[in-house]
Amino acid sequence: MPNKLKAGIKNSAPLSELDEFIKNAIQRKRTIHFAPHYRAETQLQLSKLIGLKPCRVKDYASMELIRGIVNLRSVKDELEIAEIEKAVDVAYMMFTAGMKMAFPGRKEQEIVGLMEGISISHGRPVSFPIILSINGQILHNHHHENYLEEGRMMVMDAGSETPMLYASDITRTVPVGGKFSQRQAEIYQIVLNANLRSIEVTKPGTLYFDCHMKAAETIASGLKDLGLMHGDVKEAVAAGAHALFFPHGLGHMLGMDVHDMEGLGQINVGYDKEIQPAKQFGTAYLRMGRRLQPGFVITNEPGIYFIPELIDQWKAADMFPQFINYKKVDEYRYFGGIRIEDDILVTNDGCRILGKPIPKTIAEVEETMRDGLA
Ligand code: GLY
Ligand code: MN
């Protein structure tokens, strides 16, 4: 069967007739459905076809079509899942190699180059510009000019893209030199617990918003045990106090885009009539909150960060003194950040982490780095 019939397209015409076809449709006052586009050349093509100024085109994108595409792409079929797993398997090689290079004296960009090279050597580009830094407290940090120093944590956030354009998106954080200090291990274990506990509750029928909240509570509870937070954990999280340390969302859909379908409008992808984005700092940046279904592929990426500028701002504004022990927080001022990210498939009765397992526990990371290329 021709592909267009398999896709359910009954009537079609050669592209050379598109101009004429659209003109006729406009004259006959037919509704024209198009998705929002972000490439400038597509925007210009649409502008010419429809006769709208380029800056107005996206205002006329079809919500019906957006909803259709989101429905189609949110649930991944076996072929798509296999593609994402291939992308994670390349990430396994990128990350284990990156870990083995995280020793004092190396420059961040050497490791970025090696990791990107591994993806390219498998015939695949990276799925987004690699984030790699000993300043993990700066989110999406693409500055790679620091030299690694003992005592710092190095965040690596990267992925690979298959020839069918499916992406992986993984984060690991390792101690420079290969051995966690006690302080590093304590914060790392809290982030790992947040990752594990929120994965445990990831299953069909659960709001992804609740998975995020589980991660936030795990973080607040762990920080309370270390004396960085105090008071009632649930109250602290409800008030948003945890966001000083975890100021972003737990994750997002993953597929042909890293933030899958972001171009269609995040709110259309991650939210629906049942749940709308939160307004509170931190949780407001959760890219997806809606109820999970089998076949969804999502990332799970909790983190703890010590952001000196944010700490100063909150302290000066006397934000949540009942929940935050600023004196203790000051002791961690130059700690940096830790994030751990896996790619997760929602299955019929729970979920599973996709691809070859990438070292994640403290013991696994230290073991991988033991024979590093110092
Ligand atoms: N991996 C980068 C992000 O999720 O934004
Ligand atoms: Mn991500």
Side-chain angles (χ1 to χ4, degrees):
M1 190 193 290
N3 281 340
K4 70 173 187 183
L5 289 182
K6 277 198 232 164
I9 298 168
K10 296 197 187 77
N11 303 311
S12 63
L15 201 55
S16 56
E17 291 171 20
L18 183 64
D19 219 356
E20 206 47 42
F21 189 85
I22 298 287
K23 243 185 235 149
N24 279 336
I26 291 171
Q27 268 164 14
R28 287 159 54 206
K29 299 200 178 328
R30 290 184 61 188
T31 307
I32 298 165
H33 295 273
F34 59 87
H37 284 277
Y38 54 87
R39 281 181 196 270
E41 63 271 28
T42 319
Q43 200 103 304
L44 288 175
Q45 193 185 10
L46 271 169
S47 150
K48 187 165 161 280
L49 275 170
I50 307 161
L52 287 169
K53 284 189 181 156
C55 62
R56 298 294 315 277
V57 168
K58 72 171 178 354
D59 300 339
Y60 290 84
S62 160
M63 197 41 82
E64 228 177 306
L65 184 58
I66 289 172
R67 293 217 174 92
I69 298 172
V70 170
N71 279 342
L72 188 71
R73 282 179 55 177
S74 293
V75 175
K76 273 67 180 177
D77 66 21
E78 275 174 26
L79 185 141
E80 296 178 285
I81 293 161
E83 281 296 300
I84 297 172
E85 295 218 83
K86 284 186 217 161
V88 178
D89 289 347
V90 175
Y92 170 90
M93 293 182 263
M94 295 162 68
F95 276 82
T96 48
M99 287 179 187
K100 288 178 194 296
M101 280 187 81
F103 284 84
R106 287 242 181 244
K107 203 170 183 181
E108 292 164 344
Q109 65 198 28
E110 291 179 67
I111 308 176
V112 172
L114 178 87
M115 290 173 72
E116 181 150 358
I118 290 172
S119 188
I120 292 168
S121 71
H122 285 83
R124 288 132 202 252
V126 286
S127 50
F128 58 94
I130 292 180
I131 297 163
L132 187 146
S133 183
I134 53 171
N135 287 318
Q137 78 282 5
I138 301 172
L139 305 179
H140 286 194
N141 195 346
H142 297 297
H143 173 93
H144 302 135
E145 297 201 10
N146 296 305
Y147 286 90
L148 272 51
E149 291 166 11
E150 193 82 46
R152 305 297 299 269
M153 298 293 296
M154 185 183 84
V155 171
M156 300 177 276
D157 183 343
S160 182
E161 183 182 287
T162 72
M164 288 181 74
L165 308 179
Y166 285 85
S168 54
D169 180 12
I170 302 289
T171 306
R172 290 292 183 269
T173 307
V174 299
V176 173
K179 268 252 155 252
F180 286 82
S181 68
Q182 189 185 333
R183 174 179 282 198
Q184 289 171 337
E186 284 169 352
I187 300 289
Y188 187 91
Q189 192 59 47
I190 300 172
V191 179
L192 182 58
N193 291 345
N195 165 269
L196 297 173
R197 303 231 170 100
S198 53
I199 289 175
E200 266 166 33
V201 297
T202 299
K203 55 176 188 302
T206 300
L207 287 173
Y208 191 62
F209 181 88
D210 290 341
C211 301
H212 170 87
M213 294 318 272
K214 174 61 88 181
E217 278 174 27
T218 309
I219 285 170
S221 159
L223 292 175
K224 183 179 168 180
D225 292 343
L226 290 182
L228 286 145
M229 292 186 77
H230 41 223
D232 183 82
V233 167
K234 279 200 187 300
E235 280 175 25
V237 170
H242 65 282
L244 176 62
F245 310 99
F246 177 35
H248 61 74
L250 182 62
H252 49 85
M253 281 218 180
L254 177 77
M256 281 201 281
D257 286 330
V258 173
H259 299 155
D260 202 18
M261 301 173 274
E262 196 171 41
L264 299 178
Q266 210 158 264
I267 190 150
N268 302 318
V269 179
Y271 292 88
D272 56 17
K273 279 199 207 98
E274 183 185 8
I275 180 156
Q276 288 293 297
K279 299 229 178 339
Q280 189 181 71
F281 175 80
T283 307
Y285 311 122
L286 178 63
R287 296 178 192 273
M288 144 143 179
R290 74 182 165 118
R291 227 167 261 288
L292 298 170
Q293 294 173 30
F296 280 13
V297 175
I298 44 170
T299 66
N300 178 296
E301 48 182 310
I304 294 180
Y305 313 87
F306 293 89
I307 307 168
E309 297 79 2
L310 190 62
I311 295 168
D312 290 344
Q313 204 184 82
W314 278 38
K315 196 174 164 186
D318 202 23
M319 297 269 284
F320 306 122
Q322 71 278 36
F323 299 127
I324 294 167
N325 179 355
Y326 285 102
K327 197 158 178 290
K328 186 84 179 166
V329 172
D330 266 341
E331 293 173 20
Y332 287 72
R333 192 174 174 82
Y334 299 112
F335 181 95
I338 292 177
R339 179 167 63 257
I340 300 173
E341 178 176 21
D342 292 317
D343 298 341
I344 313 278
L345 168 70
V346 180
T347 58
N348 286 331
D349 52 5
C351 69
R352 76 176 172 87
I353 299 176
L354 293 174
K356 187 168 172 181
I358 299 172
K360 187 162 80 164
T361 64
I362 290 175
E364 286 164 358
V365 170
E366 289 191 342
E367 177 59 32
T368 308
M369 295 180 75
R370 205 181 309 279
D371 57 346
L373 314 167

